[in-house]
Amino acid sequence: MQKIDREFATYIAFCLAEIANGKLTLTDEIIEKKKDEGLREILLGLKSLNEDLMLRKKEASKIIKLETQKRKLHERIILEEKTRVRQLKMIRDKLVLANKELSDLNHVTSHELQEPIVSIISASDILKQDYYKLFDDTGKMFLNSLNQSAIQLRSQIKAVQDHSRLGGELNFSEVCLLSLIDNVKTDLGGVMNNKWVRFTIGKMPQKIQCMPYELKMLIRNLIHNAIKYNDSDIRLVNLRCKSRDHHFEFSIEDNGIGIEEKYQDQIFNIFRKIDSRDGIGIGLSNCRKIANSHLGEMWVRSKKGSGSKFFFTIKKNLKSCMIETE
């Protein structure tokens, strides 16, 4: 190897410094102009080293940029999650307070209303028992109407009390769905065992997180209505469930009397009846409230004279959706 003179060494040192600073600009043309073969070999090596370092620097810069973006995104997600949790806690606190105020108001109102109604029923019962013969036909008709209206009003007040309590405490637990449905069938008793009722169940999730008592009430009400509002010789009731991304979607379909389109939203209003059969018109309102308490929805598809299909959804993993308020 040729002896490296001071100028040679100075130039190499300069190139190394430029490489360190990322400013080296060596081209094949510049290298070829060097007369010393040893210098050209060294410069070619430095050029290759510089290109490799520049490539690694670009890759490192991309990695740093991605890591920075990742960190900022993570920080934003954490901030948004904290904000969301804080907002939801505030909403939950307000709902808890509103439910308490509503419960207190409901208790006071119901108690205040019950007393005069009980007095009316008692007085009308006494009149019917001891003085009924003294009334003419018109008087008897009014007395009977008074007694029945008071009894119905008492039932409505109790129904409002029960309705207001639904969803008051969001205590979700995991239950076996088929066992819950079996309990519904037991509650409905002889109605389910009649030869003119055919009840079928599709594939169901094995476990579900819910408020068992309320979900049981929802399913029982829908099945009972499917049988009650049905004039077919064979009354068909089909219970199905589909697993969606974030919800379970249930449906109960019947071959009953059906519902006109104009009434299909009104039927979920409290005390809204579209049929003269027994009942006070609060069952479907209870059902929708129960579905809402499970972070779901409820709706119906129906055609007058062609049966109805009621749908309701229940959010999956309800326990994880609960927010501690302590």
Side-chain angles (χ1 to χ4, degrees):
M1 178 180 288
Q2 297 180 1
K3 184 178 180 181
I4 301 177
D5 56 20
R6 184 179 295 278
E7 182 180 355
F8 189 103
T10 301
Y11 185 71
I12 297 300
F14 169 79
C15 289
L16 289 171
E18 291 293 282
I19 288 175
N21 293 326
K23 299 179 179 180
L24 182 64
T25 54
L26 274 178
T27 64
D28 291 337
E29 185 179 357
I30 293 175
I31 295 173
E32 288 299 324
K33 288 181 179 180
K34 303 298 180 182
K35 296 179 180 180
D36 191 297
E37 183 179 352
L39 178 60
R40 287 199 302 269
E41 290 179 0
I42 292 174
L43 291 178
L44 284 171
L46 290 176
K47 177 176 178 290
S48 177
L49 174 63
N50 182 63
E51 290 172 349
D52 184 60
L53 288 174
M54 292 299 292
L55 180 61
R56 291 178 181 274
K57 186 176 180 180
K58 287 181 179 179
E59 291 176 349
S61 178
K62 289 180 181 179
I63 292 173
I64 292 172
K65 185 177 180 180
L66 289 173
E67 287 294 330
T68 302
Q69 292 175 344
K70 180 181 177 181
R71 177 178 54 80
K72 289 182 177 179
L73 178 60
H74 182 66
E75 290 174 353
R76 191 178 73 182
I77 290 173
I78 291 176
L79 179 61
E80 290 177 352
E81 182 67 16
K82 287 182 178 179
T83 302
R84 186 184 71 87
V85 170
R86 187 165 57 250
Q87 290 174 340
L88 287 175
K89 283 184 177 180
M90 290 174 61
I91 293 172
R92 184 180 175 87
D93 288 342
K94 290 180 180 179
L95 285 174
V96 169
L97 179 60
N99 280 334
K100 184 179 183 306
E101 291 176 348
L102 181 61
S103 178
D104 292 343
L105 177 63
N106 177 63
H107 175 75
V108 172
T109 304
S110 299
H111 180 72
E112 295 297 327
L113 287 175
Q114 286 282 12
E115 285 189 0
I117 291 172
V118 170
S119 297
I120 293 171
I121 293 173
S122 297
S124 61
D125 284 341
I126 292 173
L127 288 173
K128 288 179 67 175
Q129 181 177 349
D130 298 337
Y131 302 98
Y132 196 68
K133 294 180 179 179
L134 301 178
F135 289 93
D136 58 15
D137 291 343
T138 303
K140 291 177 181 178
M141 181 185 69
F142 282 125
L143 180 59
N144 290 330
S145 177
L146 174 66
N147 184 262
Q148 291 301 315
S149 296
I151 292 173
Q152 183 180 9
L153 184 56
R154 182 175 60 182
S155 299
Q156 289 176 328
I157 291 173
K158 184 180 183 305
V160 170
Q161 285 180 302
D162 294 340
H163 180 80
S164 68
R165 294 190 187 103
L166 293 174
E169 296 183 5
L170 303 180
N171 296 322
F172 300 110
S173 59
E174 189 171 77
V175 300
C176 174
L177 186 56
L178 288 177
S179 295
L180 186 145
I181 294 171
D182 284 340
N183 289 336
V184 169
K185 292 166 65 177
T186 300
D187 287 351
L188 291 173
V191 176
M192 294 295 294
N193 297 322
N194 285 328
K195 61 182 180 181
W196 36 268
V197 174
R198 292 182 185 173
F199 178 60
T200 58
I201 305 175
K203 186 177 180 181
M204 294 286 144
Q206 185 175 5
K207 299 283 186 179
I208 190 170
Q209 292 179 9
C210 66
M211 291 181 281
Y213 173 78
E214 296 192 354
L215 180 59
K216 179 180 171 183
M217 179 191 295
L218 192 164
I219 296 174
R220 182 177 64 238
N221 282 350
L222 291 181
I223 293 175
H224 181 264
N225 284 353
I227 298 171
K228 178 179 178 181
Y229 298 100
N230 196 324
D231 298 326
S232 303
D233 293 336
I234 300 297
R235 303 179 185 185
L236 306 178
V237 184
N238 302 312
L239 173 60
R240 298 288 183 267
C241 179
K242 293 181 180 179
S243 180
R244 304 300 189 188
D245 290 341
H246 304 291
H247 291 79
F248 289 113
E249 181 184 287
F250 292 86
S251 65
I252 294 182
E253 185 175 11
D254 62 60
N255 61 336
I257 61 175
I259 305 164
E260 291 184 58
E261 185 176 355
K262 63 181 179 180
Y263 297 126
Q264 289 179 14
D265 192 55
Q266 296 180 31
I267 57 174
F268 295 105
N269 296 335
I270 193 167
F271 297 140
R272 185 66 173 92
K273 293 181 62 179
I274 60 172
D275 189 270
S276 60
R277 304 179 200 210
D278 292 340
I280 60 176
I282 201 172
L284 289 177
S285 181
N286 286 342
C287 289
R288 175 172 275 184
K289 187 173 182 181
I290 292 170
N292 293 159
S293 298
H294 288 77
L295 304 184
E297 299 176 326
M298 186 171 183
W299 67 97
V300 64
R301 293 176 188 162
S302 182
K303 186 177 180 181
K304 183 68 173 178
S306 300
S308 301
K309 190 172 186 178
F310 283 86
F311 297 85
F312 67 92
T313 58
I314 290 180
K315 188 171 178 61
K316 296 179 179 178
N317 302 318
L318 278 165
K319 284 185 177 181
S320 64
C321 297
M322 296 182 68
I323 301 172
E324 297 296 332
T325 57
E326 290 78 15

